[in-house]
Amino acid sequence: MSTYTTDKASPFTRAVISAMRKLYPEELADKSFDNTGLLLEAPFDPIRRQMNSVLLTVDLTKAVADEAIERKDCVVVAYHPIIFRGFKALTLADTQQQSLLRLALEGISVYSPHTAVDAVPGGLGDWLADIVTGTLPEPEPSTHTADKQQVPDQNPDEKRDISRERGSGDEPETWPKNKRFGRPSLPSRTSTYSRPTYPRPADLDKTSDLSTAEIKHTRSVIHPIEGIQGFENAGMGRLISYNTPQPLTHLIERIAHGVGSPKGFPVAIPQNKEVEEIQIRSVGVCAGSGHDILKDCDADLLFTGELSHHDALRMTEQGRCVVTLFHSNTERGFLSSVLQQKLTRTLKEEWERVRQEVKGELDGKAELNGEWEDAVKDEDVLVEVSERDRDPFGVVILQSEQQGKPLR
């Protein structure tokens, strides 16, 4: 085989890289810790070439690598870099290195945009901001929590009122003042737990249902990035200030709708407040781990992927609220809602340009024309979102016997 085919990536890979850099310039990434760009450049074998297709994922796991190999994709665009630090060796013993070696063997390259996607105007930060400034397709729900939660006691004929146990201040006179409460009694054997649930992939592209026109607000960048021509409003994190305060319950509904209707997610509120009574005037948003971006953000609500125990405590002690979704659930919906369409459109343009360039490079090289002919005449472009990518954490829910099956 000619050396030309072993020291270059495929023409389609070149088009994908060019399209990604146009949409999300690597100069916007936070280079203090991030590792963005082309992380694995697989040599091109025109005799055994891949499809002109891109697989989008948040994390490049073994399951996603298997998926890309089965589909014969040309490039995996993984939002999170699979390589953060330098390698001293590449072996099959390490599962992530194993995935990289297998992909290289199959001729599949890997590109990671990570924080460049967070920072770009219209990118991940603005997508999250759109979720908390949009309205649901139906009328806003009259969301509320139960006034009293009942749980089974040892005696099935009796019910305990948890609101009394937490010291709500309205205990009856006969309530024992020195009573110490231990762990709630175990439910009967008929109680079961659901299997872990994750945001539904079919619902991850529904943020287009959220109309931003009806909720008046102003939006600003928390940590601006300057000096990148054409991306003047870039930066990390977004601060949303509403013209009219919004009920926290409505924001929770919008967030659930926007990220694929998860069965549940953590919400932290001040201990002297109830969810129903909280009004939100401003929201700070940041995908993934938001502490560094949001720690000095003066907002009523912090909306991010994850926040440490002590950081959340500090926020609630200050009278603020926190919504977290597990790290990657603040990122995954962006792939199908925004990136898939944007990359498809830009990639079609870049692929046509690269095809013409390659034809010019091959002009006069008759010995290579046969090998490369199929590669440059294929006009197809396909960008799809992984069906196997998911956050490591799911939600397990206590159910009645009729609702679920026992975990074994």
Side-chain angles (χ1 to χ4, degrees), residues 213 310 383 399:
H310 296 288
V383 179
Q399 298 179 325

Side-chain angles (χ1 to χ4, degrees), residues 5 19 40 43-45 68 108 116 123 127 131 149 194 204 206 209 212 258 260 290 304-305 338 369 383 404:
T5 62
L40 176 66
F44 178 51
D45 183 351
I108 302 174
W127 177 73
I131 289 176
Q149 180 182 357
S194 71
L204 289 176
K206 290 186 177 179
D209 293 346
T212 60
T304 186
V338 180
N369 285 345
V383 179

Side-chain angles (χ1 to χ4, degrees), residues 347-363:
L347 181 54
K348 286 180 179 179
E349 299 171 357
E350 289 303 298
W351 178 224
E352 179 58 30
R353 181 186 62 79
V354 169
R355 288 175 62 226
Q356 298 307 317
E357 284 184 359
V358 172
K359 288 178 181 178
E361 292 172 5
L362 296 177
D363 188 31

